[in-house]
Amino acid sequence: MLLEETIDMMLSADYKKQFIAEYHQLKERYNHLNKMVNDWDKLAFVPSCSLSIYQSQISAMKQYLNILELRARIENINLNN
């Protein structure tokens, strides 16, 4: 799901829709950052931060995704919406 596709859900009064939007936004950002790190030697720019900083961020984002997935199972929230 693209970030712009989550706008209406994020603005919803329904916490489940906000939760789904949060999950998909994080997943999209995680995937993009992970791709950047995987293509580190092919980047068209020189990152200001070290590779290890980006790897730490990816690790934290993955942990956050896992927590959201656990909460979704416990709260019966379908993340495939």
Side-chain angles (χ1 to χ4, degrees):
M1 182 175 288
L2 299 174
L3 291 176
E4 54 267 15
E5 295 173 318
T6 65
I7 294 170
D8 288 338
M9 288 189 295
M10 210 57 203
L11 298 174
S12 172
D14 181 347
Y15 90 93
K16 287 184 178 185
K17 288 182 181 178
Q18 291 176 3
F19 183 95
I20 293 166
E22 177 183 359
Y23 173 79
H24 285 288
Q25 289 172 2
L26 177 62
K27 190 172 182 181
E28 181 73 11
R29 290 182 175 103
Y30 168 85
N31 288 337
H32 282 197
L33 189 59
N34 198 42
K35 182 179 180 343
M36 185 186 105
V37 166
N38 288 335
D39 295 337
W40 190 259
D41 294 330
K42 302 173 205 158
L43 296 176
F45 67 98
V46 177
S48 299
C49 294
S50 67
L51 177 59
S52 65
I53 297 280
Y54 286 102
Q55 290 169 328
S56 293
Q57 182 179 352
I58 288 169
S59 177
M61 292 170 85
K62 182 62 177 167
Q63 186 175 11
Y64 187 18
L65 279 169
N66 291 339
I67 291 167
L68 291 178
E69 289 167 358
L70 176 60
R71 273 191 59 204
R73 282 193 300 276
I74 292 169
E75 297 179 25
N76 294 315
I77 298 172
N78 182 358
L79 295 174
N80 296 319
N81 291 346

